[in-house]
Amino acid sequence: MTTASPSFSLLPPYAPPLQVGRAIATTGHAVVSAEGLCGLIGAERAALDALRPSWDDLPPDAYLRDGGRYRRRRHACFVADGDRLEGVPHRAHWQPVEYNALHGGLERWFEPMKPEVVAQPVWSRLLLSLSATCSALKGARPWYVEAHQFRIDTTDGIGRPTPEGAHRDGVDFVAVVLVGREGIKGGETRVFEAAGPHGIRFTMTDPWTMLMLDDAKVIHESTPIQPVADHGHRDTLVLTFRAGGFQGPEA
Protein backbone atom coordinates (compact mmCIF):
# COMPACT_ATOMS: atom_id res chain seq x y z
CA MET A 1 0.00 0.00 0.00
CA THR A 2 1.31 3.46 -0.85
CA THR A 3 1.47 6.49 1.42
CA ALA A 4 0.04 8.84 -1.17
CA SER A 5 -0.84 12.42 -0.34
CA PRO A 6 -4.19 13.18 -1.95
CA SER A 7 -4.94 16.50 -3.60
CA PHE A 8 -7.01 18.98 -1.61
CA SER A 9 -10.11 19.59 -3.71
CA LEU A 10 -13.16 18.25 -1.88
CA LEU A 11 -15.49 18.74 -4.84
CA PRO A 12 -16.02 15.55 -6.84
CA PRO A 13 -14.14 15.70 -10.17
CA TYR A 14 -17.15 14.85 -12.33
CA ALA A 15 -16.65 13.12 -15.66
CA PRO A 16 -19.23 13.56 -18.46
CA PRO A 17 -21.24 10.37 -19.00
CA LEU A 18 -19.76 9.81 -22.44
CA GLN A 19 -16.24 9.98 -21.02
CA VAL A 20 -16.64 7.61 -18.08
CA GLY A 21 -14.87 4.74 -19.84
CA ARG A 22 -12.02 6.98 -20.99
CA ALA A 23 -11.56 8.37 -17.47
CA ILE A 24 -11.44 4.89 -15.94
CA ALA A 25 -9.01 3.68 -18.59
CA THR A 26 -6.76 6.69 -18.00
CA THR A 27 -6.83 7.21 -14.23
CA GLY A 28 -8.52 4.09 -12.89
CA HIS A 29 -11.58 5.97 -11.68
CA ALA A 30 -14.44 8.22 -12.72
CA VAL A 31 -16.97 10.22 -10.72
CA VAL A 32 -20.38 10.78 -12.25
CA SER A 33 -22.95 13.31 -11.06
CA ALA A 34 -26.53 12.29 -10.37
CA GLU A 35 -27.58 13.89 -13.64
CA GLY A 36 -24.78 12.08 -15.41
CA LEU A 37 -25.76 8.74 -13.90
CA CYS A 38 -29.35 9.22 -15.05
CA GLY A 39 -28.06 9.94 -18.55
CA LEU A 40 -25.73 6.96 -18.47
CA ILE A 41 -28.46 4.48 -17.54
CA GLY A 42 -31.32 6.19 -19.41
CA ALA A 43 -33.58 6.68 -16.39
CA GLU A 44 -35.28 9.52 -14.55
CA ARG A 45 -34.03 10.49 -11.12
CA ALA A 46 -37.48 9.78 -9.70
CA ALA A 47 -37.02 6.12 -10.65
CA LEU A 48 -33.79 5.95 -8.67
CA ASP A 49 -35.38 7.80 -5.77
CA ALA A 50 -38.05 5.09 -5.62
CA LEU A 51 -35.29 2.73 -4.41
CA ARG A 52 -34.32 4.90 -1.45
CA PRO A 53 -36.98 3.81 1.09
CA SER A 54 -35.55 0.28 1.07
CA TRP A 55 -32.47 1.59 2.90
CA ASP A 56 -34.70 2.20 5.92
CA ASP A 57 -35.18 -1.57 6.27
CA LEU A 58 -31.65 -2.97 6.41
CA PRO A 59 -30.80 -5.47 9.16
CA PRO A 60 -27.66 -5.11 11.29
CA ASP A 61 -24.38 -6.46 9.96
CA ALA A 62 -23.65 -9.34 12.35
CA TYR A 63 -20.11 -9.91 11.09
CA LEU A 64 -18.26 -6.74 12.15
CA ARG A 65 -15.05 -7.94 13.75
CA ASP A 66 -14.31 -4.58 15.34
CA GLY A 67 -17.32 -5.03 17.62
CA GLY A 68 -19.19 -2.12 16.07
CA ARG A 69 -22.95 -1.71 15.67
CA TYR A 70 -22.78 1.03 13.07
CA ARG A 71 -23.41 -0.96 9.85
CA ARG A 72 -26.60 -2.36 8.31
CA ARG A 73 -26.72 -4.11 4.95
CA ARG A 74 -28.39 -6.41 2.45
CA HIS A 75 -26.73 -8.36 -0.36
CA ALA A 76 -27.69 -9.92 -3.70
CA CYS A 77 -25.91 -11.45 -6.70
CA PHE A 78 -26.61 -11.30 -10.43
CA VAL A 79 -25.15 -12.25 -13.78
CA ALA A 80 -25.27 -9.52 -16.45
CA ASP A 81 -24.75 -10.79 -19.98
CA GLY A 82 -25.41 -8.30 -22.78
CA ASP A 83 -28.97 -7.10 -22.31
CA ARG A 84 -29.92 -9.90 -19.89
CA LEU A 85 -29.76 -9.66 -16.11
CA GLU A 86 -30.43 -12.77 -14.04
CA GLY A 87 -30.52 -13.10 -10.29
CA VAL A 88 -28.73 -16.10 -8.82
CA PRO A 89 -29.63 -18.09 -5.70
CA HIS A 90 -28.67 -16.28 -2.52
CA ARG A 91 -25.05 -16.92 -1.62
CA ALA A 92 -22.45 -15.87 0.91
CA HIS A 93 -20.22 -12.86 0.37
CA TRP A 94 -16.58 -13.89 0.51
CA GLN A 95 -13.24 -12.10 0.06
CA PRO A 96 -9.68 -13.37 0.44
CA VAL A 97 -7.63 -12.00 3.32
CA GLU A 98 -5.22 -10.29 0.92
CA TYR A 99 -8.03 -7.93 -0.09
CA ASN A 100 -9.82 -7.63 3.24
CA ALA A 101 -7.56 -8.20 6.22
CA LEU A 102 -10.42 -7.59 8.67
CA HIS A 103 -13.17 -9.78 7.21
CA GLY A 104 -11.39 -11.86 4.57
CA GLY A 105 -11.61 -15.64 4.55
CA LEU A 106 -15.05 -15.58 6.14
CA GLU A 107 -18.32 -16.63 4.52
CA ARG A 108 -20.73 -13.85 5.39
CA TRP A 109 -24.41 -14.63 4.88
CA PHE A 110 -26.13 -11.27 4.79
CA GLU A 111 -29.87 -10.91 4.48
CA PRO A 112 -30.93 -10.79 0.81
CA MET A 113 -32.15 -7.69 -0.96
CA LYS A 114 -35.93 -7.56 -1.14
CA PRO A 115 -37.56 -8.86 -4.34
CA GLU A 116 -39.63 -5.72 -4.80
CA VAL A 117 -36.42 -3.66 -4.98
CA VAL A 118 -34.58 -5.72 -7.60
CA ALA A 119 -37.80 -6.09 -9.62
CA GLN A 120 -37.94 -2.35 -10.34
CA PRO A 121 -37.00 -1.64 -13.98
CA VAL A 122 -34.43 0.97 -12.96
CA TRP A 123 -32.50 -1.73 -11.10
CA SER A 124 -31.89 -3.70 -14.29
CA ARG A 125 -31.09 -0.51 -16.18
CA LEU A 126 -28.46 0.41 -13.62
CA LEU A 127 -26.70 -2.95 -13.52
CA LEU A 128 -26.84 -3.57 -17.27
CA SER A 129 -25.62 -0.08 -18.14
CA LEU A 130 -22.65 -0.33 -15.79
CA SER A 131 -21.91 -3.84 -17.05
CA ALA A 132 -21.82 -2.39 -20.57
CA THR A 133 -19.22 0.11 -19.37
CA CYS A 134 -17.17 -2.78 -18.00
CA SER A 135 -17.45 -4.61 -21.34
CA ALA A 136 -16.40 -1.49 -23.23
CA LEU A 137 -13.21 -1.47 -21.16
CA LYS A 138 -12.36 -5.17 -21.05
CA GLY A 139 -14.39 -6.81 -23.80
CA ALA A 140 -17.90 -8.22 -23.89
CA ARG A 141 -18.48 -11.07 -21.45
CA PRO A 142 -20.81 -12.05 -18.64
CA TRP A 143 -20.26 -10.00 -15.50
CA TYR A 144 -20.78 -11.50 -12.07
CA VAL A 145 -22.29 -8.68 -10.04
CA GLU A 146 -22.57 -8.41 -6.27
CA ALA A 147 -24.84 -5.70 -4.89
CA HIS A 148 -24.56 -4.38 -1.34
CA GLN A 149 -26.99 -1.96 0.28
CA PHE A 150 -25.18 -0.22 3.16
CA ARG A 151 -26.30 2.10 5.91
CA ILE A 152 -23.50 3.43 8.13
CA ASP A 153 -24.90 5.22 11.16
CA THR A 154 -23.65 6.96 14.26
CA THR A 155 -25.06 4.52 16.82
CA ASP A 156 -21.55 4.13 18.28
CA GLY A 157 -20.84 7.86 18.03
CA ILE A 158 -18.77 7.23 14.92
CA GLY A 159 -19.46 5.10 11.86
CA ARG A 160 -16.84 3.52 9.62
CA PRO A 161 -17.78 3.03 5.95
CA THR A 162 -14.56 1.08 5.33
CA PRO A 163 -13.40 -0.46 8.61
CA GLU A 164 -10.82 -2.48 6.67
CA GLY A 165 -9.08 0.75 5.59
CA ALA A 166 -7.85 1.60 2.09
CA HIS A 167 -8.34 -1.51 0.02
CA ARG A 168 -9.07 -3.26 -3.24
CA ASP A 169 -11.99 -5.67 -3.56
CA GLY A 170 -10.50 -8.44 -5.69
CA VAL A 171 -12.85 -7.84 -8.61
CA ASP A 172 -12.57 -6.07 -11.98
CA PHE A 173 -14.66 -2.96 -11.32
CA VAL A 174 -16.39 -1.34 -8.36
CA ALA A 175 -19.17 1.25 -8.35
CA VAL A 176 -19.93 3.19 -5.17
CA VAL A 177 -23.21 5.09 -5.41
CA LEU A 178 -24.25 7.57 -2.75
CA VAL A 179 -27.92 7.07 -1.92
CA GLY A 180 -28.16 9.71 0.80
CA ARG A 181 -26.59 11.20 3.90
CA GLU A 182 -28.29 12.89 6.83
CA GLY A 183 -27.05 14.57 10.00
CA ILE A 184 -23.37 13.75 9.56
CA LYS A 185 -19.96 15.16 8.80
CA GLY A 186 -17.07 13.20 7.31
CA GLY A 187 -17.50 10.35 4.89
CA GLU A 188 -14.81 11.68 2.58
CA THR A 189 -13.91 9.44 -0.35
CA ARG A 190 -10.23 8.79 -1.03
CA VAL A 191 -8.81 7.09 -4.11
CA PHE A 192 -5.12 6.25 -4.48
CA GLU A 193 -3.03 4.72 -7.23
CA ALA A 194 -2.37 1.08 -6.35
CA ALA A 195 1.21 1.35 -7.56
CA GLY A 196 2.03 5.05 -7.45
CA PRO A 197 2.20 8.16 -5.27
CA HIS A 198 -0.91 10.03 -6.39
CA GLY A 199 -4.42 10.21 -5.02
CA ILE A 200 -7.51 12.37 -4.78
CA ARG A 201 -10.04 13.10 -2.06
CA PHE A 202 -13.56 14.46 -2.30
CA THR A 203 -16.93 14.20 -0.59
CA MET A 204 -20.03 12.89 -2.31
CA THR A 205 -23.06 14.81 -1.01
CA ASP A 206 -25.66 14.68 -3.80
CA PRO A 207 -27.71 11.46 -3.86
CA TRP A 208 -26.94 9.26 -6.88
CA THR A 209 -23.42 10.55 -7.31
CA MET A 210 -21.34 7.55 -8.41
CA LEU A 211 -17.66 6.64 -8.19
CA MET A 212 -16.59 3.84 -10.54
CA LEU A 213 -13.18 2.20 -10.14
CA ASP A 214 -10.85 -0.16 -11.96
CA ASP A 215 -10.05 -2.35 -8.97
CA ALA A 216 -6.64 -3.40 -10.32
CA LYS A 217 -5.43 0.18 -10.70
CA VAL A 218 -6.56 1.92 -7.50
CA ILE A 219 -7.30 1.43 -3.83
CA HIS A 220 -10.07 3.31 -2.08
CA GLU A 221 -11.57 4.14 1.28
CA SER A 222 -14.14 6.40 2.92
CA THR A 223 -13.36 8.23 6.15
CA PRO A 224 -15.47 7.78 9.30
CA ILE A 225 -18.67 9.74 9.83
CA GLN A 226 -19.68 11.66 12.94
CA PRO A 227 -23.10 13.05 13.89
CA VAL A 228 -23.91 16.75 13.71
CA ALA A 229 -27.25 16.13 15.44
CA ASP A 230 -28.59 13.39 17.72
CA HIS A 231 -28.22 10.76 15.02
CA GLY A 232 -27.00 10.51 11.45
CA HIS A 233 -26.35 8.03 8.68
CA ARG A 234 -24.80 7.56 5.24
CA ASP A 235 -26.45 5.24 2.69
CA THR A 236 -24.61 3.74 -0.27
CA LEU A 237 -25.06 1.10 -2.92
CA VAL A 238 -21.86 -0.76 -3.75
CA LEU A 239 -21.75 -2.86 -6.92
CA THR A 240 -18.83 -5.07 -7.87
CA PHE A 241 -18.26 -6.56 -11.32
CA ARG A 242 -16.06 -9.61 -11.82
CA ALA A 243 -15.31 -11.69 -14.90
CA GLY A 244 -15.20 -15.47 -14.69
CA GLY A 245 -17.32 -16.02 -11.59
CA PHE A 246 -18.06 -14.85 -8.08
CA GLN A 247 -15.39 -14.81 -5.42
CA GLY A 248 -15.52 -17.80 -3.11
CA PRO A 249 -13.26 -20.09 -1.09
CA GLU A 250 -13.47 -22.66 -3.87
CA ALA A 251 -12.30 -20.18 -6.58
Side-chain angles (χ1 to χ4, degrees):
M1 184 179 301
T2 65
T3 56
S5 297
S7 62
F8 289 97
S9 173
L10 297 184
L11 295 176
Y14 293 129
L18 295 179
Q19 297 181 20
V20 169
R22 180 183 302 175
I24 296 171
T26 303
T27 66
H29 61 84
V31 189
V32 182
S33 68
E35 180 181 8
L37 180 61
C38 289
L40 186 67
I41 69 174
E44 298 292 331
R45 183 161 177 163
L48 288 169
D49 285 338
L51 301 174
R52 292 183 67 179
S54 63
W55 268 260
D56 293 328
D57 186 30
L58 303 183
D61 183 338
Y63 294 93
L64 281 172
R65 283 180 166 171
D66 64 0
R69 301 170 298 159
Y70 53 82
R71 185 157 76 182
R72 294 174 174 270
R73 70 193 292 179
R74 289 185 185 271
H75 173 240
C77 295
F78 307 84
V79 177
D81 189 2
D83 60 358
R84 292 183 294 108
L85 181 71
E86 295 184 4
V88 303
H90 192 54
R91 54 181 288 125
H93 176 55
W94 187 91
Q95 293 174 291
V97 292
E98 55 264 38
Y99 291 112
N100 190 327
L102 186 60
H103 298 113
L106 176 67
E107 287 193 338
R108 291 181 283 169
W109 286 93
F110 300 112
E111 290 296 315
M113 292 182 63
K114 290 194 167 182
E116 59 266 31
V117 176
V118 301
Q120 295 189 45
V122 73
W123 181 258
S124 295
R125 281 183 175 269
L126 177 63
L127 269 60
L128 289 174
S129 297
L130 298 184
S131 295
T133 298
C134 298
S135 288
L137 287 162
K138 290 201 172 180
R141 67 196 69 190
W143 292 100
Y144 294 80
V145 186
E146 292 197 50
H148 305 263
Q149 291 179 290
F150 285 104
R151 170 164 288 181
I152 307 299
D153 64 32
T154 56
T155 296
D156 295 337
I158 190 170
R160 295 176 174 85
T162 52
E164 65 272 41
H167 65 283
R168 291 167 55 205
D169 287 315
V171 296
D172 289 277
F173 299 98
V174 180
V176 181
V177 185
L178 179 70
V179 176
R181 49 183 287 153
E182 295 183 17
I184 61 167
K185 61 182 178 179
E188 179 182 284
T189 298
R190 298 179 176 182
V191 182
F192 306 93
E193 293 177 342
H198 302 297
I200 61 169
R201 53 184 280 223
F202 55 89
T203 303
M204 297 191 290
T205 58
D206 187 18
W208 307 114
T209 301
M210 180 186 73
L211 167 67
M212 193 163 181
L213 307 163
D214 183 328
D215 193 54
K217 291 184 176 181
V218 296
I219 58 177
H220 64 282
E221 66 177 340
S222 295
T223 63
I225 62 170
Q226 295 176 278
V228 295
D230 291 338
H231 188 76
H233 66 262
R234 179 178 184 262
D235 294 345
T236 55
L237 171 66
V238 175
L239 303 168
T240 64
F241 301 81
R242 190 171 188 261
F246 296 107
Q247 289 190 101
E250 71 285 352

